[in-house]
Amino acid sequence: MDTIFVSIFIILAGGTAALFLSRRFILMQRVVIGTTALGCAAGLCYALTRLFGNTAVATATWAWLHIFELSFTVDSVSLFFLIPVFLIPPLVLVYSLDYLTEGKKNLRIAINYFLTTLLVVSMVMVVTAANMITFALAWEIMSIASFFLVIFDYQDKEKRKAGYLYLIFVQGGAMFLFAAFAIIYQHTGSFDFAAVSTMPDNQKLLVFILALIAFGSKAGLFPLHIWMSGSYSSAPGHLPALMSGVMSKMGIYGILRIYLLLDQPSPIFANIVLICGILTGLTGVVYALVRQNIKKLLAYSSMENIGIILIGLGIGMLGAGENNQAMAFFGFAGALLHVFNHSVFKSLLFMGAAAVEQQTGTNSIENLGGLLKKMPITGKTFLVGSTAISGLPPFAGFVSEFLIYYGAFQGVDTHRLSFILAIFAIISLALIGGLAAAVFTKVAGLAFLGAARTDKVEQAQEVGFSMKLVMILLAGACLFIGLVPAPFIRTAFAGIRDITFIAGYDSQAFLATATQLSQTTLLFVCIVLLVALLRQFLYLNKRIRQAGTWGCGFTKPTVRIQYTGASYADEMVGFFSWLTPVTRLYSGITRIFPRRATWHMQSEDVALMNYERVLVRPLYNLVYKLRWIQHGNIQLYIAYIIAAMIVLLVFVL
Amino acid sequence: MDSVLSFCCALLIAPLFPAVIQKVKAWFGGKQGPPLLINYYTLLKLLQKGSVYSTSTSFVFRLGPIISAATGLMLLLFFPFAGATPLFSFHGDVIILFYLMGLGRFFTILAALDTASPFEGMGAAREAFFSSLAEPTVFTILFLFFKISGSLSFAGFFSSPTPVALTGGYGAAVLLAAAALYIVMLTENSRVPVDDPATHLELTMIHEVMILDHSGPDLALIETGAWCKLLFYTSFLASIIWFPRFDSCLVNAVLFYGVVALIAVSIGVVESITARYKMNLVPKFIMNAFALVFFVIILTMEFAQ
């Protein structure tokens, strides 16, 4: 355990040093990156060695404020979650080397670095917390730090608004978390996580639902997701990689942790999680489809992936509830592996989006195009990330989705509701996969391929070295995990070994399948190479010409006639209009020689619409009626305080 | 040895079946139609030509055909044609193969978008949409077949003690699943009533418009991939409908490809007697397949326990 504290200390020390070094910008960046890399490397080594060691469990306790105990513990699940927590931040910071450059905002960038390290440390603490006090403390630090990261550009009203929305959701979520903890404390009389399982069974469901809302608001569960698109597109470009790639997984960790702590494999938990997963995944992918802003699109795609992870967890819980060990094993393992994989390719994609924004000043698909030729490394790595996140072989996403499918297929022997849910899980995974491919062909195909739509895009240049390096590393990781999945599958298996429901499951048979899976992907890559060679051979001594694209005989094409993101998604949006109502405003053509015509299309988020209608309006009306309480008369305010104290005294006496 | 022979045989015979479809359509139209070997001639012709590339394209445009052809070949490597053991097979191969087909589609779409042509974008959008609707149907069918045969590989579907077959114990369920698979086949292979491979207007095409700008050997690779895919789907159906169990491989193969040819004929008949649907009806048509197979799943819920 000590290694973890040492690494926490190193990371925080670097972050604090940044505050004092803001005048010496380059030095500051190097110090922060160096210390974070060192601390994270130490932590990563610890997590991996313990994960594969004889026993994963370790504990440590500190007294805090004389009354409370800060206690920490690790088991295989938390060790697994530590891997992305320690792996992604150094990469993000290296990326920031060329992304955040010296200028007017030096101090603000220094504070940003400090908060980033604070975020990393708080995530480590969330994952290792062993009692409610520690967990709540870490959770709050994480939320506050990330809130300040989101409002980096606080002068911009839109970005500030996105930050406030985020704050409302994380703090609202925390409220539910405290409610859940309060119920637990009421029944067990202890803050210790170990005591949670002793609470009466009839209260466990309530605690689980409260915790699901709390953690779901962090992970971006439907309908608690509406803060995501705003805050991911407001934070400085490298941070969404950290927030979506790693921080949203803390929500997943919380859901899994509370489920394990409650220690009751009732299928009802599984049903809730699975249905939430399916809903979140589907709405996420449909909303991603209708966004034209790459960062917002990626934010919704995070939601989709959270859905996939929850489907995996749900399958695992269903297996635990049905006493179907194989199903539980592959469900949990697939979910964990997808947590890791998603942190890799989603970071990559957010970095690509930030690179595009840095070079072109826009993130709107409608204004980009042809970037692959201008920014070859960014383009190619983005293409790899797109393929990986669509769950296609031979890249990372496929491996974890394969595990989840494999688990869901084991549900073939279950009955009634479990059977129906298993088949729904498969159907929605397939549908989400198909639509995700549509989403990412849209963003990769329209932003990076084709022809540039504006002059600014035409003049875009490749980004700096450190950014390229990190993107290449992550893209390489996507390919490597896809081609050689066995070690990663093994790590996921090691990650779930402390889950009691699946203790003793023999995974050897599957590892043979994993080998064959890897051989198949390698075989495919070989065939691709062979066909490519054959193609080279076929083109020997052939006449190859360049010409314009076939335009149906149209002699004056412009780049604006290219298919746009909106038109690409149009038919699909029509099909899913019950999920995303679309408003179209068209000026129409009224004259024989038409003048300016306008066309505006906007797709709504049903969650956002209904919050407005169900929650915000009534609340606003209520508060408006109570305005007389706040009248500005200071004497009366003091009277309130005295009245409140008297009422409290009555309770105490 | 059998496996290698079966693979080579499948690869060689694949271009024949689209020609069968064309021939049937020609007969219905009262024409003689192209010779049955037309696709072999086309292949030879394409291989001799050079290519014209659009100035807006990048390496992705050249990668598309390679991936299409490679996924087509992968299908042939894993499918047990005429009951012969395929070259490769493992528990779970169905999932990866359908995902590889997804990869082929992904790169075909990207290659189409790389041309910066509005027509090809239109085709790409439709392809992405319709195939994502077909995907759930496919996986529900796989789940059903897994329930019947206890296996997750193509070879296992047909060689398990309880094989997936119309003549087996689950005949009625398999019949509906086969009907759903037929619809998926029409969708995935761009046949009428989803897509019309013989249409002449870019605005109404799906698959054909996506490959408008490909030429020469690149086009040949795309066509090869498409032929392999058609052979795969027709063979999948053929294996379900009728499963040859003679001792002689040769007899098996002849009978098997006979059935495949009959399915190709049936596609030709369908294409001749139906018009393609309006675009907004296509999703409903595909969802019909899903409804069918989901109904079967509900029916089989309490089976075999």
Side-chain angles (χ1 to χ4, degrees), chain B residues 14-210:
Chain B
L16 190 66
F17 298 105
V20 172
I21 300 176
Q22 275 178 300
K23 199 82 182 168
V24 172
K25 284 171 80 174
W27 283 338
F28 265 83
K31 293 181 280 189
Q32 199 180 6
L36 273 178
L37 298 180
I38 177 76
N39 285 327
Y40 298 95
Y41 301 142
T42 315
L43 192 66
L44 281 179
K45 188 177 74 185
L46 287 174
L47 290 183
Q48 285 161 9
K49 285 181 181 275
S51 279
V52 184
Y53 289 109
S54 159
T55 40
S56 73
T57 58
S58 61
F59 79 98
V60 176
F61 185 75
R62 293 154 181 76
L63 194 62
I66 297 174
I67 305 246
S68 299
T71 48
L73 290 178
M74 282 296 279
L75 291 174
L76 300 193
L77 284 173
F78 278 82
F79 196 82
F81 293 99
T85 323
L87 275 171
F88 301 95
S89 173
F90 69 93
H91 188 63
D93 66 5
V94 286
I95 301 176
I96 189 166
L97 283 180
F98 276 101
Y99 264 72
L100 279 176
M101 271 193 259
L103 183 78
R105 197 181 306 122
F106 192 87
F107 275 91
T108 312
I109 291 173
L110 284 184
L113 292 175
D114 205 11
T115 59
S117 150
F119 296 126
E120 305 205 12
M122 201 177 282
R126 287 169 182 162
E127 174 96 358
F129 180 33
F130 298 153
S131 58
S132 67
L133 287 182
E135 208 94 313
T137 316
V138 168
F139 276 86
T140 319
I141 292 174
L142 294 183
F143 188 78
L144 177 71
F145 288 180
F146 177 54
K147 193 174 169 68
I148 294 173
S149 67
S151 169
L152 262 180
S153 67
F154 289 116
F157 281 163
F158 307 113
S159 62
S160 90
T162 50
V164 177
L166 275 185
T167 50
Y170 292 87
V174 174
L175 182 66
L176 289 180
L181 194 62
Y182 195 86
I183 295 179
V184 171
M185 175 181 73
L186 295 179
T187 312
E188 293 282 317
N189 291 289
S190 323
R191 313 303 314 190
V192 177
V194 174
D195 184 10
D196 190 351
T199 185
H200 62 276
L201 181 63
E202 289 91 339
L203 284 173
T204 61
M205 299 173 178
I206 300 175
H207 183 73
E208 289 300 307
V209 70
M210 290 172 62

Side-chain angles (χ1 to χ4, degrees), chain A residues 304-365:
Chain A
E304 166 224 328
N305 279 278
I306 292 292
I308 293 176
I309 293 168
L310 283 181
I311 290 175
L313 283 186
I315 292 287
M317 295 177 186
L318 205 58
E322 292 279 338
N323 255 329
N324 185 339
Q325 273 204 329
M327 191 175 173
F329 190 84
F330 292 112
F332 284 129
L336 283 203
L337 192 59
H338 203 74
V339 164
F340 175 72
N341 286 343
H342 182 245
S343 75
V344 173
F345 45 65
K346 187 45 69 68
S347 304
L348 169 63
L349 290 170
F350 266 119
M351 288 174 185
V356 168
E357 192 179 26
Q358 191 194 40
Q359 291 302 315
T360 63
T362 178
N363 248 324
S364 167
I365 294 174

Side-chain angles (χ1 to χ4, degrees), chain A residues 372-373 380 383 386-387 390-395 398 401-402 405-406 408-417 419-420 422-424 426-431 433-438 440-442 444-446 448-451 513 516-517 520-521 523-524 527-529 531-532 534-535 538-539 542-552 558-559 561-563 567-569 571-572 575-576, chain B residues 46-60 62-63 65-67 69-71 73-74 77-78 88-93 95-96 99-100 102-103 105-107 109-111 113-122 124-126 128-130 132-133 135-136 139-140 142-143 146-147 152 202 212-213 215-219 221 279 283-284 287 290 294 297-298 300-302 305:
Chain A
L372 187 71
K373 286 197 264 321
K380 280 172 193 166
L383 207 58
S386 303
T387 322
S390 308
L392 295 170
F395 295 105
F398 175 71
E401 285 193 25
F402 183 84
Y405 270 121
Y406 204 85
F409 271 105
Q410 306 299 325
V412 75
D413 298 327
T414 53
H415 301 266
R416 295 202 171 82
L417 189 60
F419 181 83
I420 292 284
I423 182 74
F424 268 128
I426 292 175
I427 292 169
S428 47
L429 273 178
L431 186 60
L435 289 173
F440 283 94
T441 45
K442 170 179 141 175
L446 297 172
F448 287 91
L449 304 177
T513 305
Q516 280 165 322
L517 192 68
T520 308
T521 38
L523 175 74
F524 176 69
I527 291 183
V528 167
L529 291 178
V531 175
L534 178 73
R535 180 181 172 281
L538 289 172
Y539 272 108
K542 294 277 171 61
R543 187 157 165 245
I544 293 176
R545 282 184 301 142
Q546 296 268 325
T549 300
W550 163 241
C552 216
T558 84
V559 288
I561 66 170
Q562 287 181 83
Y563 229 46
S567 44
Y568 189 80
E571 273 180 70
M572 289 177 253
F575 189 78
F576 290 103
Chain B
L46 287 174
L47 290 183
Q48 285 161 9
K49 285 181 181 275
S51 279
V52 184
Y53 289 109
S54 159
T55 40
S56 73
T57 58
S58 61
F59 79 98
V60 176
R62 293 154 181 76
L63 194 62
I66 297 174
I67 305 246
T71 48
L73 290 178
M74 282 296 279
L77 284 173
F78 278 82
F88 301 95
S89 173
F90 69 93
H91 188 63
D93 66 5
I95 301 176
I96 189 166
Y99 264 72
L100 279 176
L103 183 78
R105 197 181 306 122
F106 192 87
F107 275 91
I109 291 173
L110 284 184
L113 292 175
D114 205 11
T115 59
S117 150
F119 296 126
E120 305 205 12
M122 201 177 282
R126 287 169 182 162
F129 180 33
F130 298 153
S132 67
L133 287 182
E135 208 94 313
F139 276 86
T140 319
L142 294 183
F143 188 78
F146 177 54
K147 193 174 169 68
L152 262 180
E202 289 91 339
L212 263 186
D213 267 77
S215 50
D218 273 347
L219 188 58
L221 287 178
M279 282 298 169
K284 291 176 188 162
M287 292 311 279
F290 177 70
F294 193 71
I297 287 284
I298 303 270
T300 56
M301 232 170 93
E302 299 296 320
Q305 275 148 17

Side-chain angles (χ1 to χ4, degrees), chain A residues 3-21:
Chain A
T3 325
I4 295 276
F5 296 125
V6 171
S7 79
I8 285 180
F9 178 76
I10 299 175
I11 296 170
L12 259 190
T16 319
L19 289 178
F20 298 100
L21 289 173

